Amino acid sequence: MRPELRQRLQDEVVPRERKPQKTKLVAHADMDAFFASVEERDNPALRGKPVIVGGQPGTRGVVTTANYEARKYGIHAGMSLTKAGLLCPNGIYVRTHGGKYSWVSIQVMAIFRKYSPSVEPASIDEAYLDIASCADRWGGPGRYAETIRREVRQTLGVTVSIGVGPNKITAKIASGLNKPDGQTILPLDNVLSVLGPLSVREIPGVGASTEEVLSDMGIHTIRELADCPVRVMQNRLGKYGEALRRIIRGEIESEITPLEERVDDKSMGHEHTFHEDVQNRDTLLARLLQLVDKATRRMRRDKYVGTLVILKLRSSQFRTRTHQRQLHHPTSDPFTIFRVGQSLLDEIWREEDGSVRLIGVSVGHLFRPGEECQGLQEDMFETPKAERLNGLFSAVDRLRDIYGEHVLEFAGGMEMLRRAGSIESVKH
Ligand code: DCP
Ligand code: CA
């Protein structure tokens, strides 16, 4: 490395914090239409046209993202490619190039780390930065955000939007307010001047069921939530409601878990070799569900969530294939992980491809979420229904601790096994 470059890096690089840190000032950086932007960067002929990433219209599979042009046609992530093809027949459809996006993600995170002592990646294209001790060095949060956005644009050719707030949740809402290629700095002494008029649905983690409860209470906007008396919130939504109210008022600090504290190389999973090779999709899915169940049980026990699902298949000819998908939100939810595993299976294997000797699944990019984010990561874990589900998982886990692994099986797995006529084949 050239000496002047090394010196520049040394000047720029902020000393690393190695422990989770509470901070009073958080930046949330989120890439714009991430997969589509990388595709446009690599093929400028796509610019200005509706670009849909995921595959060809009419084929199996879903849209992973669409650029802002394509969103005007109503296309969004998760939509089937068949429906996308009907809504936007003249769009440009590109297949997903996972490896390329992972590489850009690594480069983006490296840039973020130059600007903050503590960076917590939240998904493939977003991160929280602790900026309490460094924003002033760049002339305050506004200049600071402009500097990072410029560097990402100039070095990687893609754009990022940034929000700054007193905690993760407020910063995340802020980063979405001026998308794409924008920034929003919340005034620390009055975050509600910006957030107040927004719908409570803009709060990450507030889904349909929490919205319904709030709506029953006459609460529709963030300001109404913030102004609701603590006791009323406690009565209707318990500790979660109280925390939500304080977070949104900017009264709760966040803990940023830096990259070094994550166990990115760690994964939890299980695999199974069949007594007889299997060519039936339902049998594979039933086994997959059991493996996911086991893996997520360990994750719950150790309080991990993860953002990467890896499926492994070995054919009767001993050909091993692994396929992985980066999740949008960290999770330990068996249903989510199973659904992703199922779509990975469908992407790499069909019954006509021949029989399978081994199937395995693991969840990677594991980490333990900061306390204030626990339960806010996913709608599923924060709503009253989610609390019940979480309680259900824990109760099942306890029963298994006492009576053994097979005391309770997932009903779905049992049903699939029954359909495949292979209940006996998976009993131990
Ligand atoms: N992604 C995916 N499947 C989904 C959602 C997202 O594979 N159901 C991938 C593709 C996205 C990337 O994750 O490009 C980041 O997801 P975001 O929700 O941040 O969406 P984008 O970055 O595409 O758009 P935005 O500008 O709204 O952030
Ligand atoms: Ca994004």
Side-chain angles (χ1 to χ4, degrees):
M1 188 186 285
R2 295 203 313 271
E4 69 273 18
L5 186 57
R6 178 174 301 132
Q7 185 56 51
R8 222 183 83 207
L9 274 179
Q10 274 167 2
D11 288 343
E12 279 176 349
V13 169
V14 186
R16 303 246 69 76
E17 295 289 346
R18 302 197 72 85
K19 291 264 174 295
Q21 283 272 108
K22 286 255 183 204
T23 176
K24 287 182 193 316
L25 196 60
V26 178
H28 177 255
D30 182 9
M31 308 300 290
D32 303 311
F34 184 45
F35 293 3
S37 304
V38 175
E39 296 298 339
E40 283 181 45
R41 175 194 75 174
D42 294 350
N43 181 3
L46 302 183
R47 293 211 183 119
K49 299 180 180 148
V51 176
I52 298 105
V53 184
Q56 291 308 304
T59 56
R60 282 211 288 186
V62 294
V63 173
T64 52
T65 195
N67 70 358
Y68 282 75
E69 274 307 303
R71 289 181 198 189
K72 291 180 192 158
Y73 294 81
I75 296 178
H76 56 78
M79 176 182 279
S80 77
L81 284 164
T82 306
K83 184 162 181 202
L86 293 172
L87 288 174
C88 186
N90 297 325
I92 301 188
Y93 290 80
V94 191
R95 103 179 150 79
T96 306
H97 298 100
K100 190 159 73 170
Y101 316 134
S102 297
W103 174 233
V104 179
S105 173
I106 289 167
Q107 293 173 296
V108 169
M109 298 298 165
I111 292 177
F112 294 162
R113 292 178 74 228
K114 281 167 56 180
Y115 288 93
S116 162
S118 186
V119 174
E120 179 179 322
S123 77
I124 189 165
D125 80 327
E126 59 182 308
Y128 295 100
L129 285 64
D130 174 359
I131 66 168
S133 63
C134 53
D136 284 346
R137 218 182 290 178
W138 275 269
R143 289 267 172 78
Y144 176 86
E146 280 165 16
T147 311
I148 302 183
R149 287 175 46 228
R150 191 180 321 117
E151 175 153 354
V152 170
R153 192 170 51 241
Q154 287 174 353
T155 48
L156 300 176
V158 285
T159 59
V160 61
S161 296
I162 294 182
V164 173
N167 54 41
K168 285 177 173 170
I169 301 287
T170 51
K172 187 170 164 84
I173 301 172
S175 74
L177 294 180
N178 259 317
K179 250 182 176 304
D181 198 15
Q183 63 184 55
T184 302
I185 315 299
L186 297 176
L188 285 189
D189 52 354
N190 189 5
V191 289
L192 291 171
S193 62
V194 178
L195 302 183
L198 303 177
S199 156
V200 289
R201 271 308 276 274
E202 299 293 325
I203 306 171
V206 169
S209 36
T210 305
E211 187 189 21
E212 210 180 303
V213 177
L214 290 171
S215 175
D216 271 357
M217 298 163 70
I219 295 175
H220 305 279
T221 64
I222 290 181
R223 181 174 298 281
E224 286 163 351
L225 172 61
D227 287 346
C228 177
V230 185
R231 190 148 323 141
V232 178
M233 277 313 275
Q234 278 170 342
N235 282 346
R236 292 299 296 268
L237 282 161
K239 277 208 172 114
Y240 166 68
E242 190 191 341
L244 197 59
R245 180 183 169 280
R246 292 191 61 209
I247 286 171
I248 220 63
R249 293 164 65 101
E251 293 169 0
I252 291 190
E253 292 179 6
S254 284
E255 201 170 81
I256 305 280
T257 309
L259 195 62
E260 292 86 344
E261 292 303 307
R262 292 167 61 115
V263 282
D264 268 3
D265 52 341
K266 191 177 162 76
S267 63
M268 285 189 180
H270 287 276
E271 54 187 49
H272 177 81
T273 305
F274 295 103
H275 295 304
E276 279 177 32
D277 295 350
V278 168
Q279 199 168 356
N280 176 298
R281 179 173 175 271
D282 281 343
T283 310
L284 291 179
L285 288 181
R287 178 54 72 177
L288 178 66
L289 186 63
Q290 287 186 334
L291 296 173
V292 166
D293 175 31
K294 271 190 181 175
T296 52
R297 186 180 167 204
R298 278 169 62 209
M299 289 170 68
R300 284 195 295 277
R301 188 193 59 200
D302 296 345
K303 301 201 166 29
Y304 280 120
V305 289
T307 56
L308 187 73
V309 177
I310 307 149
L311 182 84
K312 177 174 169 184
L313 278 190
R314 183 169 296 146
S315 72
S316 45
Q317 279 84 39
F318 280 86
R319 182 165 170 246
T320 305
R321 296 176 74 184
T322 59
H323 201 37
Q324 62 186 48
R325 174 151 324 139
Q326 187 77 40
L327 299 179
H328 193 43
H329 295 291
T331 188
S332 61
D333 163 37
F335 299 117
T336 305
I337 292 164
F338 171 71
R339 274 199 303 273
V340 175
Q342 177 177 4
S343 83
L344 290 172
L345 176 74
D346 287 337
E347 280 169 25
I348 59 171
W349 181 85
R350 301 197 179 176
E351 291 189 351
E352 54 270 27
D353 292 340
S355 51
V356 172
R357 181 185 161 74
L358 171 148
I359 184 167
V361 67
S362 53
V363 183
H365 292 179
L366 298 181
F367 67 101
R368 293 190 173 106
E371 240 168 52
E372 99 293 348
C373 255
Q374 269 170 20
L376 292 178
Q377 293 282 0
E378 268 196 289
D379 191 34
M380 160 135 189
F381 284 105
E382 51 82 6
T383 59
K385 178 175 138 235
E387 276 160 28
R388 285 203 299 276
L389 263 181
N390 241 349
L392 173 69
F393 289 145
S394 309
V396 169
D397 290 348
R398 270 200 307 279
L399 280 173
R400 285 164 163 169
D401 285 340
I402 300 168
Y403 298 110
E405 279 296 319
H406 301 289
V407 64
L408 291 168
E409 303 278 1
F410 274 116
M414 294 294 280
E415 181 50 35
M416 275 186 251
L417 287 171
R418 233 173 249 126
R419 272 199 279 144
S422 56
I423 282 188
E424 286 315 308
S425 68
V426 298
K427 287 282 176 208
H428 290 258

